[in-house]
Amino acid sequence: MYDEQQQPEHGPLAGFTVGVTAARRADELGALLQRRGAAVLHAPALRIVPLADDSELLAATKEIIQRTPDVVVATTAIGFRGWIEAADGWGLGEDLLERLRGVEILARGPKVKGAVRAAGLTEDWSPSSESMAEVLDRLLEEGVDGRRIAVQLHGEPLPGFVEALRVGGAEVLGVPVYRWLPPEDIGPVDRLLDATVSRGLDALTLTSAPAAASLLSRAEERGLLPEVLAALNHDVLPACVGPVTALPLQARGVDTVQPQRFRLGPLVQLLCQELPARARSLPIAGHQVEIRGHAVLVDGALRPVPPAGMSLLRALSRRPGWVVARSELLRALPGAGRDEHAVETAMARLRTALGAPKLIQTVVKRGYRLALDPAADAKYADV
C-alpha cells in the first residue's frame, strides 16, 4: 500500500494516461485519478435512460401492488431509488412501500442497503461479497419452488440469475428501472478506442459489464477489435471494478485486474500499485530513469515528454545500452515519413524535456543509445 506521507509531490499516477468508460460517477472516478496525478481520457461507453415514464416499469409496479411477491431482490441503489421515485410520480408510492414492508428484501450490497433503508424499509439480508452469485446461492438454498420473486433489473443482463430461479420453480417478475443505451455522441468512444490501439493509454477502467460489452461492440463495428484486444492483452492495463464487469473481456480472452473490494477507491489504489510497477526503470548516466506513459521520472522528478520523444525513448529502452539506428528510430516516430532529420529534431526535444542531455548518446554515423551505467551493462548485454 502506498504511504501517503512518502508520496512524491507529483502523485503515484503522474505520467500515466487512464481511460474512463463510466457513464455514472465518471466525475468522481476522474477526480480520484487526477488527484493522484493521472491524465484522464473520458468516454462514456453507454448512457443511462431512466424509465419513469416506461410502461414496463409501471406494469411491474402495479403487479407487485396487486399480487405481493414473497421476495424482492434489490440490485443497485440508483435503480431502487429510481423505482420508488417513479412510483411516487404515478401516485403509487405509498401502496408500493406498504407491500414491500411485508416481503423478504435481499439487498446486493451496502449502497443498496442504504437506499432500501432510506425508503423506510429494512433488508432481511445482504451478501458480504456484494455478489449476485451469492444472492442466488442463498435463494436456491432456501428453496424457491412455488415462490414469487421480484428482481430489480439494472439495465444489464444478469447471466443465469433469472433462469436459475425459474428452473428452481420460482415465478420471477423483472422490475426494469432503467436501460443502458449507446451514447448519443460516439466520437469520444472512437477516440478512446484509437488511443487504446495506439498505446496512448496506459490503463482502461471499466465499471459495468454493459460498458465493457458496448466498447468491444463498437471496436468490432469499426474493424478494430483484434487491435484493441491485442493492446489490452499486452500494453494497456484493463482494470475492472469487479468480476461481473470483467466477463465481456474474459469472454474475449483478456485477463483483467480487479480490486478486492468492488469500489472506485480500491480500483484507483490498485492502479496506483500496478502502473508504477509496470514502468521501465533503468540506471542511466548516473541517474535513475523511470519511463512512464507520457512522462519520465529522472531521479524522482517528473519530466513531461512529447509523444514523439516518448516513441524514441521506448525504442531506445527496448535495448538499453545498444545503438539503435536512425532508420529504426524513424520507423518508431508516428507519421514521420522518410526524413531522418525528423529523428534529430525529436531527439533534441527529448533531451531538452529530460533535463539531462547526457542520458542519450549520439553514436556518429550509426544512431543513438541510452548511456546505461557500466554496472548495468552486463545485465542488459543479451537483451
Side-chain angles (χ1 to χ4, degrees):
M1 188 63 66
Y2 228 90
D3 182 349
E4 295 205 351
Q5 293 182 339
Q6 295 180 3
Q7 273 190 30
E9 289 182 10
H10 50 69
L13 294 180
F16 294 113
T17 303
V18 180
V20 171
T21 59
R24 191 164 55 89
R25 302 181 69 197
D27 290 345
E28 180 184 348
L29 178 55
L32 287 171
L33 291 165
Q34 288 170 336
R35 270 204 297 274
R36 287 154 180 81
V40 174
L41 185 59
H42 179 223
L46 292 169
R47 58 192 167 102
I48 298 171
V49 180
L51 297 186
D53 299 324
D54 191 272
S55 58
E56 289 180 56
L57 179 58
L58 177 57
T61 303
K62 285 181 175 178
E63 190 170 346
I64 284 173
I65 292 170
Q66 291 164 5
R67 295 179 58 212
T68 306
D70 301 297
V71 182
V72 170
V73 179
T75 57
T76 66
I78 186 174
F80 192 82
R81 285 196 301 269
W83 182 19
I84 302 301
E85 288 168 6
D88 278 338
W90 295 319
L92 300 174
E94 282 305 316
D95 290 340
L96 177 61
L97 290 174
E98 185 61 34
R99 296 298 183 275
L100 296 182
R101 285 190 185 99
V103 306
E104 179 183 352
I105 298 178
L106 306 183
R108 186 181 60 87
K111 290 187 178 178
V112 193
K113 203 171 5 178
V116 168
R117 293 181 182 181
L121 304 169
T122 305
E123 79 289 346
D124 290 84
W125 179 79
S126 182
S128 57
S129 67
E130 303 175 39
S131 163
M132 288 299 289
E134 194 172 342
V135 175
L136 179 60
D137 287 345
R138 178 183 172 93
L139 285 168
L140 294 177
E141 285 170 12
E142 287 179 352
V144 297
D145 190 21
R147 300 183 85 191
R148 182 172 162 78
I149 301 174
V151 180
Q152 174 226 317
L153 305 176
H154 48 102
E156 62 187 88
L158 300 172
F161 188 89
V162 171
E163 293 85 344
L165 292 177
R166 285 180 175 148
V167 168
E171 179 189 351
V172 181
L173 173 65
V175 181
V177 181
Y178 52 82
R179 295 194 199 284
W180 298 103
L181 293 176
E184 291 179 333
D185 180 6
I186 203 69
V189 172
D190 286 347
R191 287 191 287 275
L192 185 72
L193 290 170
D194 292 340
T196 302
V197 169
S198 68
R199 277 58 170 180
L201 291 183
D202 299 290
L204 182 66
T205 61
L206 296 145
T207 54
S208 79
S214 176
L215 197 69
L216 296 177
S217 175
R218 180 58 182 168
E220 195 162 22
E221 286 174 16
R222 294 184 60 205
L224 290 176
L225 186 59
E227 293 94 327
V228 168
L229 295 177
L232 294 175
N233 270 318
H234 299 290
D235 302 300
V236 179
L237 179 67
C240 296
V241 77
V244 174
T245 299
L247 287 174
L249 289 170
Q250 289 176 345
R252 299 282 190 171
V254 175
D255 290 328
T256 66
V257 296
Q258 302 158 27
Q260 290 185 338
R261 293 180 61 245
F262 311 145
R263 290 281 182 274
L264 296 186
L267 178 65
V268 172
Q269 286 303 314
L270 180 65
L271 289 175
C272 289
Q273 297 163 16
E274 291 282 342
L275 287 180
R278 290 160 63 100
R280 192 81 188 270
S281 187
L282 296 167
I284 304 172
H287 301 276
Q288 195 63 32
V289 176
E290 183 179 310
I291 302 168
R292 296 191 166 190
H294 61 263
V296 177
L297 296 184
V298 180
D299 297 328
L302 185 69
R303 302 281 185 179
V305 175
M310 288 304 304
S311 297
L312 294 181
L313 190 56
R314 287 197 190 93
L316 292 170
S317 70
R318 280 194 281 272
R319 287 179 289 166
W322 287 57
V323 177
V324 182
R326 282 183 176 82
S327 59
E328 185 175 339
L329 292 172
L330 181 63
R331 288 194 296 273
L333 281 178
R338 299 181 179 180
D339 187 357
E340 290 189 3
H341 288 297
V343 174
E344 295 175 12
T345 301
M347 191 64 71
R349 290 174 179 162
L350 171 59
R351 283 171 163 155
T352 300
L354 294 174
K358 293 183 179 179
L359 294 176
I360 301 171
Q361 293 177 339
T362 302
V363 182
V364 179
K365 295 184 179 180
R366 292 181 60 199
Y368 299 89
R369 66 184 289 271
L370 292 181
L372 201 65
D373 286 350
D377 272 342
K379 178 179 177 182
Y380 295 101
D382 298 321
V383 172

